[in-house]
Amino acid sequence: MIPAPFAYHRPQSVQEAIGLLAQHGQDARVVAGGHSLIPMMKLRFAKPEQLVDLQDLSELCGIHNEAGTLVIGAMTTQHELIGSEPLAASCPIIRETALVIADPQVRYCGTLGGNLANGDPGNDMPAVMLVLGATYRVQGPQGQRDIPVRDFYRGVYSTALRDGEILTSIRIPIPASGHGWAYEKQKRKIGDYATAAAAVILTMASGTCASAAIALTNLADTPLLAQHAGEALVGTGIDEAAIDEAARRAQRITSPAADGHGPVEFRVHVAGVMVRRAIARAKQRAG
Amino acid sequence: MAKMHLKLTINNRNVEILAEPRLLLIHLLREELGITGPHIGCDTSHCGACTVDMNGKSVKSCTVFAVQASGAEIMTVEGLAGADGSLHPLQEAFREHHGLQCGFCTPGMITRAYRLLQENPNPSEAEIRQGISGNLCRCTGYLTIVRAIRAAAEQISNAREAVE
Amino acid sequence: MTTETQSIEERTQKLEGLGTRRKRVEDVRFTQGKGNYIDDFKLPGLLFGDFVRSPYSHARVKSFDKKAALALPGVKAVLTAEDLKPLKLHWMPTLAGDVQAVLADEKVLFQGQEVAFVIAEDRYVAADAVDLVEVEYEDLPALVDPNQSMTEGAPILREDLQGKTSGAHGPRKHHNHIFTWEVGDAAGTARAISDAAVVATERIVYQRVHPCPLETCGCVASMDKVNGHLTVWGTFQAPHAVRTVASLISGIPEHKIRIVSPDIGGGFGNKVGVYPGYICSIVASIVLGVPVKWVEDRMENLQATAFARDYHMSGEIAATPEGRITALRVHVLADHGAFDACADPTKYPAGFFSICTGSYDIPVAHVTVEGVYTNKAPGGVAYRCSFRVTEASYFIERMVDVLARKLGMDPAEVRRRNLIRKEQFPYQSALGWEYDSGDYLTALDKALATVNYAALRDEQRRNREAFTRGETRKLMGIGVSFFTEIVGAGPIKNCDILGLGMFDSCEIRVHPTGSVIARLGTISQGQGHATTFAQILASELGIPTEKITVEEGDTDTAPYGLGTYGSRSTPVAGAATAMAGRKIRAKAQMIAAHLLEVHDDDLEWDVDRFRVKGVPDLSKTMTELAFAAYNNVPPGMEPGLEAVSYYDPPNMTYPFGAYVCVVDVDVDNGVTEIRRFYALDDCGTRINPMIIEGQVHGGLTEALAIAMGQEMAYDESGNLTNASLLDFFLPTAVETPSWETDFTTTPSPHHPIGAKGVGESPNVGGVSAFSNAVNDAFAHLGLTHTQMPHDHWRVWKAAQSLGLTAG
């Protein structure tokens, strides 16, 4: 319940934050919304000696449009994502997902960046970024670089972030108008991580699927982009057979842990159910 | 670690205090300032008994360091009543509708309900249940809490109309 | 309008007595954050205690190194069993006649067991010091499955009991055996079963769960060395019992100990027993001469404090082809963890499990319960269980449904054919209980009519057909539960806790200006006693509740009582309250007769005053009589107006109820939606309907948690894998449905106001209703029983086993 001691820093600029991380190296961790890191610190699973609080970095907040690309600051909270009408209009899967993350209090503090950069396979947003084909902009001592989301997740708490880098914004190609979308998550209660969850983005053209992306949450050490599963839909009318095939292909790439949600067999099964339901809803929503 | 100097406003009172960085906001409130309304019910940020209103947001004060709250405006349940001691409609409604039994979840629940009604002055039953889903109760079974919040919402809106 | 001209109705209303929906007095402070819970306490010089706990479920403790911890600035002491030995406090007696280690004595027996107690200036330093205490363990094989406890070659857990072939409850046949308890007619039951036309058999497990009140356990111990006086404030559901036990084990005389239960944030039986934290805090305070506070974490609470249930029940129910039950037999394997710390009345190591014939007229029955040790936390009786009544009721309600399946009969109809009839009360059960009163058929009829049971079954038929045709993937289930529970422990002749008879008490003093202070031997943890017991008194004394203060919990002022658990407060202390109130009214009557210059018998009681029979204008109100008690009493009578009653109940009370639960089960993902829950409760006289409804809502929500997702998930090494709220299932407002409550009123004939108590009924009846509903969803496909909790994966497994799941 009580964290180990640490020194606290509240930088006023991204440069200052990066400077602090460079200075303290492995001893330092950044804190964004704090609702992943601070519980870990209270259990003493994480014991950073230097805590770098990003809350004053206003340049990391906000949602705006940059010529067909949605740019969301990493420090944007789940609450702000939910409340953004422009975002709901152009990329509604984000609001749908944010609403099934944690609870109202956690959503006031939890940030998009925190949900993405941690490498926690239980986080929901990574799968959504996978189907949106997002790019993460990071900044570090060597300057700025862009990492495609598909290259970002390596293992449990292991990402492509190098020492001293922080995620500053998430850049999402705005999905085509009339696209279909859904995030389907099964959980035991509000606040729970997913037994299994699936994100789907697809487009239809004259009754035929023109593109489809499917990704999975909490079914392996990283979020999973089920590329082969998405391909099962393209060129079809998204009938029962196509949906079944997509679900089967998605299930095949999962390797969930047995835990309180249930045995492996069950979680793989629910993965299939989530994929089916997400596809069905996405199809229904496609204009 | 060396203590840091903090300034914050709690229930409209300015507070200046020294705190070590790892001091949790809930402990600042309860141990240093004697504000014992918010309670501790778990270790993993699930129960919501520690909920306060910070800078216009419902926040679990067990998951924030006091130093992070430097410069913040915080309200706890103790700050809900009027300066003349008159109770907030939520406080009255919780009593009217039996929205509490042991009282342990109540400060966090009422503080959360306060912000919920700011977000959504006319919530449906389903919206109320979603709205308080970050606050656990073991005694009431939630139905009377939902009724209390609904009643407070109506009372607040009637009072607003009366003024207008 | 003067009081003289107010009608009976108006004057009764003004009292806000029995039957009114009086708003709670407690709410005034709780809604303003002005409650006084144990962790709110601060005293000058207060130190903070925290435990080093075992990560292993079974290990030898080889050595300690306290140096680094003691060197940390702010650390005052680190206690281990060695430090408690000279005081003989390294072990303490449990409520079940066993002993429990206060601090691990050479061995640890469950994960989370207390190994060392650190005392420091504040909780942050204490937490750091806990990390610095080095303990060397030697891992031992863990015993986690109670079915393996008594096998040959099972690990030896209790080396302290080696060679002891008998325990508090009789002979021990194995080193992991605690007791065997038996009741009923073994031969008669065996005969009836073998003769029976129909016998249904089932294995029913009531999984280990935990009451998990929102406030964890804690205390502040303060030894005043100058005066030799010990005060302990804490989360105690039985403060007087704690005082007596503290005196017996510490040697401090009882009159020099004060135990205070302040506001308690939920008890549910988790706060009945004495925990190592209390003992260590007391010792620390005595040794260091300052107050010491101990408040546990949520994880500590889940790992180490009183769990509930863990009953593995094998049952047989025999019946005629028409569905009349002729016999019941059950064998229970009871997993008590590492120490038998069950909070049961002494003579009942399996509590009141023998209520397992339930609401049914069963002529013969036989019960055997075997308690065993495992490497898990001690406890067993808790969580709104009324001493194992939850287990008993779940057992019989499932068996009746299992029987119904076997007979191909509707579960409500089987119940109807077997419910005890009104004319049979007081009813002698085959297992020795005398049920006080009941009108079961009226309750069943009302419940079934209100939910339109026939229509629900019709709907279910159509749903099953639609499912078969592939039109839906959801199966509808209807669960019926008709429970009788036994509460209000209890008559001293058979109910005692550590030799203390389970009476309870109320002491009343009426002040000259007509207001009242009443103190009881019970202690509310949310049940609203300060509100409801005042209502009892208002009706007895004719004084409005707003002029009555009710206090509990301070052993210096409250009369001796056995505390609040097992729904005993209303049946026992409520009775004492009424009896003490009647003593006061009897004295007031004599004063009135004196003032009015008539004979006592010439007076009649009228709501709030005595009137001369036939001369209604001649009256004295209770307020007038209160003042008179202090200056004008009849010759020979003592002045003042006070009374005390220590009430030894003649019997337990038997609340009952009829619950119906409707669910829709999604067979593809195991998700069960609770569509409707209707609860009809009969708790006899209803003191405050608003509070009764609240108790029912709360108990049903705990039942929902137990039935639909809660368990204590130990792995094969005895690690508790879900010791936090991340995984331990507590439903939020979203998972919790809306509750419909209803009632009938069948007063208890032996209780002064006819009240029976209600707090635990919803957990007793609720779990069965939920579980029966889920089982019912699959019953037509041949499923006889699927084990709780009915969480998503288990429900899906049940569906899968019936061949229902695709893919």
Side-chain angles (χ1 to χ4, degrees), chain A residues 44 188-190 269 277, chain C residues 128 666 668 727 730 735:
Chain A
R44 302 202 175 194
R188 292 168 295 180
K189 56 177 273 196
I190 298 287
H269 170 80
R277 293 185 186 184
Chain C
D128 292 341
D666 184 331
D668 285 329
D727 278 304
L730 295 185
E735 293 79 44

Side-chain angles (χ1 to χ4, degrees), chain A residues 3 10 42 103 105 108, chain B residues 22 51 60 62 67 119 135:
Chain A
R10 201 197 289 199
K42 286 165 69 178
D103 62 52
Q105 285 93 314
Y108 262 117
Chain B
R22 66 170 171 165
T51 301
K60 293 181 180 179
C62 72
V67 291
E119 294 161 7
N135 291 77

Side-chain angles (χ1 to χ4, degrees), chain B residues 98, chain C residues 18-22 535 686-694 741 743:
Chain B
H98 193 34
Chain C
L18 279 187
T20 59
R21 301 180 71 92
R22 182 187 182 211
Q535 290 179 253
R686 291 159 59 85
I687 299 165
N688 183 325
M690 178 187 80
I691 287 185
I692 290 170
E693 286 157 21
T741 58
F743 66 96

Side-chain angles (χ1 to χ4, degrees), chain C residues 274-289:
Chain C
V274 173
Y275 292 119
Y278 306 150
I279 308 288
C280 290
S281 302
I282 292 170
V283 169
S285 182
I286 292 172
V287 165
L288 298 170

Side-chain angles (χ1 to χ4, degrees), chain C residues 520 522 533 536 568-579 687 751-753:
Chain C
L520 295 99
T522 46
F533 285 91
I536 297 175
R568 63 185 300 276
S569 301
T570 292
V572 193
T577 303
M579 300 305 277
I687 299 165
H751 188 280
I753 63 169

Side-chain angles (χ1 to χ4, degrees), chain C residues 384 659 679 681 691-701 741 758 762:
Chain C
R384 260 175 152 132
Y659 292 178
D681 279 277
I691 287 185
I692 290 170
E693 286 157 21
Q695 289 295 307
V696 175
H697 292 177
L700 291 178
T701 306
T741 58
V758 76

